[in-house]
Amino acid sequence: MRQVELERERLGRDLHTGVGQLLVAIRLQLEVIATQLPTPSAGVQQALDRIASLANDAGEQVRAISRRLHPPEWQRLSLEAAVRQLWESSGVPQRFEASLRIDPLPREPEQKLKYWCTGRRRKR
């Protein structure tokens, strides 16, 4: 099982850093075209917009797949530890006089629920 998990982590990282970075590069090249060609014809502008949209959609899919293969660190934590980490990184306790109290849960949510919550987010 540990080998399977290590391979999933590697695939998730490779997908994110490899394909994800290529998609970012495509979007950057589109910005270069936009600065070099400030008033393209309607057909060219439509094609550029479509390329940008496809690159964004592909990037979202890559991130979703990568998260399912290698979830963010907070998904590996207990719910209480994840909420505490989010609380500390939010800046709320530093900006306001606030404290966090977490009552014990009857049980920890299943890991697949954590995967589902982050892997299923989509633009509507």
Side-chain angles (χ1 to χ4, degrees), residues 73-74 77 80-90 100:
E73 183 60 34
W74 67 265
L77 301 173
E80 180 180 345
V83 169
R84 287 189 187 287
Q85 190 177 76
L86 180 61
W87 172 258
E88 290 300 321
S89 66
S90 71
L100 177 66

Side-chain angles (χ1 to χ4, degrees), residues 16 36 45 47-48 52 57 60 92 96:
H16 183 265
Q36 298 295 315
Q45 185 61 55
L48 292 173
D57 290 349
E60 287 180 24
V92 170
F96 304 101

Side-chain angles (χ1 to χ4, degrees), residues 23 26-27 30 46-61:
L23 292 166
I26 289 170
R27 288 193 301 262
L30 286 169
Q46 186 177 16
L48 292 173
D49 291 344
R50 184 71 181 136
I51 292 168
S53 177
L54 290 168
N56 285 333
D57 290 349
E60 287 180 24
Q61 287 183 19

Side-chain angles (χ1 to χ4, degrees), residues 1-11 69:
M1 286 304 290
R2 180 68 183 140
Q3 289 299 0
V4 169
E5 183 59 28
L6 288 172
E7 183 64 9
R8 288 173 59 99
E9 287 179 23
R10 185 192 66 76
L11 286 171
L69 287 171

Side-chain angles (χ1 to χ4, degrees), residues 93-112:
Q94 292 81 20
R95 181 165 174 134
F96 304 101
E97 289 186 29
S99 62
L100 177 66
R101 188 189 88 184
I102 301 174
D103 293 330
L105 293 173
R107 64 182 169 79
E108 186 70 20
E110 293 180 29
Q111 191 66 22
K112 66 182 176 184

